[in-house]
Amino acid sequence: MKTKFFLLCIVFPFLILAQQKQPKVGLVLSGGGAKGFAHIAVLKEIDKAGIQLDYIAGTSMGAVIGGLYAVGFSGLEIEDIAKKTDFVNILRDKLPRSTAPFFEKEFGEATKLTLPVKNGVIGLPKGISKGQSVLNLLYELLDTAENIDDFSKLPIPFFCIATDVENGDEILLEKGSLPMALRASGSFPTLLNPVTLNGKMLVDGGIVNNFPVTIMKSKGIDILIGVDVEGKLFDREKLNSAISILNQILNYKMYDRSSGEKEKLDVYIHPDIFEFNVVDFDKKEDILKKGDDKAKEFRQIFKEIAAKQIVKRTKKRIELKNRDKRFISKIKLNGNKNYTRGFVLGKLNIKEGDSISRSEITQKINLLSATNNYEKIAYTFKKQEDKSYHLNFILKESKENAALSIGAHYDLLYKSGVLVNYSQKHLLKNNDLLSLDIILGDNLRYNLNYFVDNGFYISYGFRSRYNHFRANSKFNPVASQFRDINTINLKYTDISNQIFVQTTFDRRFALGLGAEHKHIKASTETVTINNEGIIIDNSDYFNLLGYLKLDTYDKKYFVTKGYFADLNFKWYVNSTDLNNNFNSFIQTKGTLGFAVTFWDKLTFQNTNEAGFTINNDETTIFDFYLGGYNQNYINTFISLYGYEFAELSDRSFLKSEFLFRYAFLEKHYASFIANYARLDGNVFKDIDIFKDTKSGYALGYSYDSIIGPIEIKYSWSPDNNQSFWLFNLGFWF
């Protein structure tokens, strides 16, 4: 016993002395956007050599990679994350259409250019992306580090750098939320929105200190390794644009400061990544390869450093557990001012008593983020004594509550049109949205929607529409003595106003009931009486309505998968009845469709439509009129390739359309369409629903442009030996 005690007294001081003399090794990773993938190769070589880092620091992309390594991820694991992650879509905050609110699916998606409006002044976005998807990913990856608010307590102590955008000060981040710190350090100006943290508005740390070697040196580091993925200043021959000159000016200070920092390094590594730029995230494989090539040159040096670390520590690691579900006993919301708790939880689709994982929360946050009502959605888990969790959301509502969008369109019915959309949120009360479309051009139109979205609870709203067009058409519900006229010059006006209540399920279904006032005026000067044109109808109609809608299509245009349904009925209760022949009647109309894609290129889309009128033998204005190719028809006008606009009509119809679309280049499509229809007073009166079937076909080319589909099609029908060239440009509205 005495011998053991003696040995312990002798050996223990030597161990302490060895630990004290062992050199402290630090690693600094510079910022550089996508070029930062090259850092990963150095981490892999450090792991192979067995170097134990005592501190790690970084800026921007260097901070993100360094932060992952600090919590315990190996170089190989970080490389695997980098390869599997779609950084392009994450940085763009691109969300699948399934996350969009049903209102957006139905009435949005008509423009690509949207600008914020504040105090009546049109502005520009703070960045291309709000960075919510970046933050979500960091929450997932850094899951179990959430309770560590002092970065020096991480398995490897860590710090990163950000810039105070108000005064240009350098901000050292080494306490607080690690995901928020990394998000702030990587807020590349114009690409990602700034982050508000500790009362400061922060952007990318590379602006003030892209290579924080001096700060690392102050941490008592003996051997300092630095990995530099900065570029270099351009020669005058390459300064041939305003953007290149602006970048050159911004890089003066960064590169000048970094050059002084490099001199303090013991090991300086600079991969040959000069051919890449900060946004080349789609070239990560090439950048990783460049990093590997350079890192291998330092294998011997790394082995020598590792040999100096006599005392080997057990490597600490915070295991990634974001797949584990947590039982939520309480949900707290902070920062919800203009949107109620029911709205927020309804969009998140979370309730107390749920069990949920980090990855599932990301999907839920996407649903709330897709409303575009929030600049930032942060959250924390707080474990309780009973092992349940309190889920705390920290919401920062967007101050950009109004927006202006612009679109353009041309087709052969409405001709040219320019859409100006103005939207205003919480105009009259919480949760509301006003959207007004003004369509200027050959046929003036407007669409007004006011909607109060109450999330879990019943929502309600008001819609108003003015639609007007002129067409040479076979639409001809005039007096019987003029029915032999082949074509008339039709003037058609629709003014509709609806009030409704609605509830949605899982963003896929919408179920609603409402009441409608509709004014229809249709006239022609082709037929005259006493030198005056014929008024076909000029009546007000008072209706009750209901609808059930389903939309899981992955895109509004050029669909590749999903299902669609629009089933509705209208009960025309009363009318001012210009022609004195109105009887109350009911009309139902429905659309069912699906799409599936084979070999990522060939899409088959099937759309089936039907309409039926009950107890309406006199009023023909609401018969179903088939013909044409438009996707913006109103009321009972239905498209049918191979026939002119409104060429066929009756009180009921069946129609099926079969579309084959092949993507032969990115955004370029070739298509073949076959559609078949049957019309009758009652198409269901006998078993033979294929009797007197009308058919039409089309071949076309389409391009998915920034302003919407550009399409040219050749359409024909063997029934009438007619053929047409069809053209449209831009989103349909």
Side-chain angles (χ1 to χ4, degrees):
M1 184 69 180
K2 292 182 178 179
T3 304
K4 291 182 179 179
F5 179 78
F6 174 78
L7 290 173
L8 183 63
C9 291
I10 297 296
V11 174
F12 186 75
F14 279 101
L15 291 174
I16 296 297
L17 184 63
Q19 176 71 16
Q20 290 176 338
K21 290 184 177 181
Q22 179 164 295
K24 285 189 174 183
V25 180
L27 175 67
V28 180
L29 306 176
S30 81
K35 295 181 290 183
F37 289 127
H39 290 314
I40 299 172
V42 176
L43 294 176
K44 291 193 299 181
E45 291 298 331
I46 285 175
D47 288 339
K48 289 178 183 178
I51 293 176
Q52 300 175 124
L53 295 179
D54 296 281
Y55 232 112
I56 188 168
T59 297
S60 193
M61 191 63 165
V64 173
I65 292 173
L68 292 176
Y69 196 78
V71 302
F73 285 99
S74 69
L76 280 172
E77 288 170 326
I78 298 173
E79 182 180 57
D80 186 58
I81 291 169
K83 288 180 176 180
K84 290 180 178 179
T85 302
D86 186 350
F87 287 97
V88 174
N89 281 335
I90 284 178
L91 288 168
R92 291 168 55 195
D93 264 342
K94 186 175 181 180
L95 300 175
R97 187 171 182 263
S98 59
T99 65
F102 208 94
F103 182 92
E104 178 68 18
K105 292 180 182 179
E106 190 170 10
F107 299 106
E109 303 179 312
T111 64
K112 280 288 181 71
L113 176 63
T114 300
L115 300 173
V117 177
K118 189 173 183 180
N119 299 324
V121 178
I122 301 174
L124 293 173
K126 294 178 182 177
I128 296 174
S129 165
K130 291 182 292 186
Q132 184 63 51
S133 296
V134 174
L135 183 58
N136 291 345
L137 177 63
L138 292 171
Y139 274 130
E140 288 190 49
L141 295 175
L142 304 171
D143 178 31
T144 52
E146 180 181 56
N147 295 324
I148 301 176
D149 56 10
D150 182 346
F151 303 163
S152 67
K153 305 298 183 184
L154 292 169
I156 301 175
F158 171 79
F159 70 83
C160 60
I161 305 296
T163 302
D164 188 331
V165 74
E166 291 186 274
N167 52 34
D169 286 349
E170 176 183 314
I171 304 299
L172 176 64
L173 299 175
E174 49 188 354
K175 292 182 182 296
S177 165
L178 182 58
M180 288 300 300
L182 301 186
R183 168 68 180 84
S185 182
S187 296
F188 191 84
T190 71
L191 180 60
L192 297 176
N193 282 3
V195 171
T196 301
L197 193 60
N198 301 325
K200 301 179 185 296
M201 182 180 285
L202 305 181
V203 293
D204 197 298
I207 296 173
V208 290
N209 190 352
N210 202 43
F211 210 22
V213 176
T214 299
I215 298 175
M216 178 62 85
K217 201 78 173 175
S218 71
K219 301 294 184 181
I221 299 301
D222 301 304
I223 299 176
L224 193 46
I225 304 169
V227 187
D228 178 13
V229 293
E230 291 178 355
K232 56 185 178 181
L233 295 175
F234 291 129
D235 297 329
R236 68 175 64 184
E237 291 78 12
K238 295 184 178 180
L239 297 173
N240 51 17
S241 69
I243 293 177
S244 63
I245 293 173
L246 179 61
N247 283 335
Q248 186 90 331
I249 294 171
L250 292 174
N251 288 334
Y252 289 155
K253 184 178 179 180
M254 179 194 300
Y255 292 171
D256 182 59
R257 179 166 183 173
S258 293
S259 62
E261 296 286 85
K262 297 170 191 175
E263 297 174 359
K264 302 173 184 178
L265 291 169
D266 299 291
V267 180
Y268 175 65
I269 305 171
H270 196 172
D272 181 15
I273 38 75
F274 297 109
E275 64 188 275
F276 304 101
N277 62 53
V278 294
V279 293
D280 278 339
F281 291 95
D282 58 335
K283 300 177 181 178
K284 56 188 174 185
E285 294 284 354
D286 296 330
I287 298 172
L288 287 166
K289 177 64 169 58
K290 291 285 187 180
D292 283 335
D293 293 342
K294 177 57 69 172
K296 288 174 183 177
E297 299 176 10
F298 290 82
R299 281 181 175 175
Q300 185 58 38
I301 294 174
F302 288 163
K303 288 179 181 179
E304 293 172 3
I305 294 173
K308 295 179 181 180
Q309 296 179 309
I310 301 171
V311 178
K312 301 300 183 182
R313 303 186 303 268
T314 301
K315 186 174 181 180
K316 298 179 182 179
R317 175 180 172 86
I318 298 177
E319 295 291 341
L320 180 64
K321 297 180 180 179
N322 67 320
R323 294 184 182 275
D324 293 349
K325 290 181 180 288
R326 296 167 169 87
F327 178 79
I328 308 302
S329 58
K330 190 172 184 178
I331 300 174
K332 296 181 180 179
L333 302 180
N334 298 288
N336 56 313
K337 298 177 181 178
N338 296 300
Y339 299 94
T340 63
R341 180 180 176 87
F343 174 90
V344 175
L345 296 184
K347 296 303 178 187
L348 288 168
N349 196 21
I350 298 177
K351 60 183 182 297
E352 292 174 356
D354 286 348
S355 293
I356 194 167
S357 68
R358 286 276 186 181
S359 57
E360 289 171 335
I361 284 188
T362 293
Q363 301 304 314
K364 304 291 187 181
I365 287 177
N366 286 344
L367 298 176
L368 185 60
S369 180
T371 64
N372 292 316
N373 295 336
Y374 300 92
E375 288 187 16
K376 181 181 69 177
I377 305 168
Y379 68 95
T380 60
F381 281 118
K382 189 172 183 181
K383 193 172 185 178
Q384 305 301 300
E385 291 183 0
D386 62 0
K387 296 185 179 181
S388 70
Y389 289 83
H390 287 181
L391 177 56
N392 302 321
F393 284 99
I394 303 95
L395 308 172
K396 184 179 180 183
E397 294 181 356
S398 174
K399 295 180 180 179
E400 298 173 350
N401 301 319
L404 189 72
S405 302
I406 300 174
H409 181 78
Y410 177 85
D411 64 64
L412 298 178
L413 177 64
Y414 286 99
K415 307 300 182 183
S416 61
V418 174
L419 169 70
V420 180
N421 171 266
Y422 176 78
S423 62
Q424 173 76 57
K425 298 178 179 179
H426 41 85
L427 177 67
L428 302 178
K429 60 178 300 178
N430 288 345
N431 304 349
D432 73 355
L433 169 63
L434 173 74
S435 177
L436 174 63
D437 293 339
I438 300 293
I439 302 166
L440 308 172
D442 292 306
N443 291 279
L444 180 67
R445 293 170 281 157
Y446 79 75
N447 290 289
L448 173 68
N449 285 279
Y450 178 76
F451 185 53
V452 181
D453 188 344
N454 289 322
F456 279 138
Y457 307 106
I458 297 295
S459 304
Y460 58 90
F462 170 77
R463 298 178 186 135
S464 180
R465 179 184 72 201
Y466 170 77
N467 193 288
H468 170 78
F469 62 82
R470 298 186 181 194
N472 289 319
S473 170
K474 295 186 178 182
F475 174 93
N476 195 10
V478 297
S480 59
Q481 62 267 36
F482 303 116
R483 288 290 177 91
D484 57 342
I485 297 175
N486 185 48
T487 302
I488 65 170
N489 185 352
L490 172 69
K491 293 173 63 177
Y492 188 94
T493 299
D494 169 281
I495 302 174
S496 297
N497 298 289
Q498 294 179 356
I499 56 173
F500 64 94
V501 294
Q502 176 179 295
T503 185
T504 58
F505 307 94
D506 197 26
R507 302 219 172 184
R508 299 182 178 188
F509 292 93
L511 176 65
L513 296 171
E516 176 185 63
H517 163 262
K518 181 183 289 290
H519 176 77
I520 296 290
K521 182 177 181 180
S523 63
T524 180
E525 295 180 354
T526 303
V527 181
T528 61
I529 298 177
N530 298 326
N531 295 322
E532 293 186 1
I534 291 290
I535 303 296
I536 300 170
D537 195 11
N538 189 15
S539 303
D540 295 288
Y541 297 88
F542 304 93
N543 319 316
L544 298 178
L545 59 91
Y547 55 85
L548 173 63
K549 300 179 181 182
L550 164 71
D551 189 351
T552 68
Y553 279 163
D554 63 335
K555 301 177 184 178
K556 181 78 168 183
Y557 304 96
F558 307 111
V559 181
T560 64
K561 62 181 179 179
Y563 298 90
F564 179 86
D566 184 358
L567 311 176
N568 61 77
F569 83 91
K570 282 188 181 180
W571 178 14
Y572 289 79
V573 179
N574 206 345
S575 172
T576 56
D577 193 9
L578 171 72
N579 297 313
N580 297 314
N581 60 354
F582 178 82
N583 291 313
S584 177
F585 67 95
I586 292 175
Q587 190 169 73
T588 63
K589 183 159 67 90
T591 303
L592 297 173
F594 74 91
V596 62
T597 296
F598 306 95
W599 311 294
D600 295 325
K601 294 287 186 180
L602 179 63
T603 297
F604 171 68
Q605 185 174 352
N606 173 233
T607 305
N608 302 286
E609 297 179 75
F612 191 76
T613 308
I614 303 173
N615 194 33
N616 182 28
D617 295 329
E618 300 295 336
T619 304
T620 57
I621 192 71
F622 290 111
D623 279 1
F624 295 101
Y625 293 88
L626 276 65
Y629 71 107
N630 284 40
Q631 297 181 35
N632 54 5
Y633 285 151
I634 62 169
N635 296 339
T636 54
F637 294 100
I638 312 293
S639 65
L640 185 67
Y641 288 98
Y643 288 84
E644 294 185 54
F645 168 69
E647 182 174 347
L648 306 175
S649 66
D650 218 315
R651 289 191 296 276
S652 68
F653 81 98
L654 288 172
K655 176 198 162 188
S656 290
E657 178 179 292
F658 304 91
L659 165 65
F660 297 87
R661 182 173 54 243
Y662 182 74
F664 59 91
L665 290 173
E666 184 179 5
K667 296 186 177 183
H668 294 265
Y669 304 89
S671 60
F672 170 73
I673 303 167
N675 56 194
Y676 307 93
R678 182 173 179 237
L679 297 92
D680 202 310
N682 180 359
V683 292
F684 303 106
K685 66 183 178 182
D686 52 42
I687 299 176
D688 188 5
I689 61 174
F690 298 103
K691 181 181 177 181
D692 297 326
T693 298
K694 309 297 182 182
S695 62
Y697 305 89
L699 286 170
Y701 160 78
S702 304
Y703 172 62
D704 186 7
S705 77
I706 192 171
I707 62 171
I710 299 175
E711 299 181 293
I712 183 168
K713 296 174 182 174
Y714 177 72
S715 173
W716 75 94
S717 172
D719 305 332
N720 51 26
N721 296 319
Q722 293 185 118
S723 60
F724 312 93
W725 282 100
L726 309 174
F727 176 76
N728 67 273
L729 179 150
F731 298 110
W732 290 93
F733 50 73

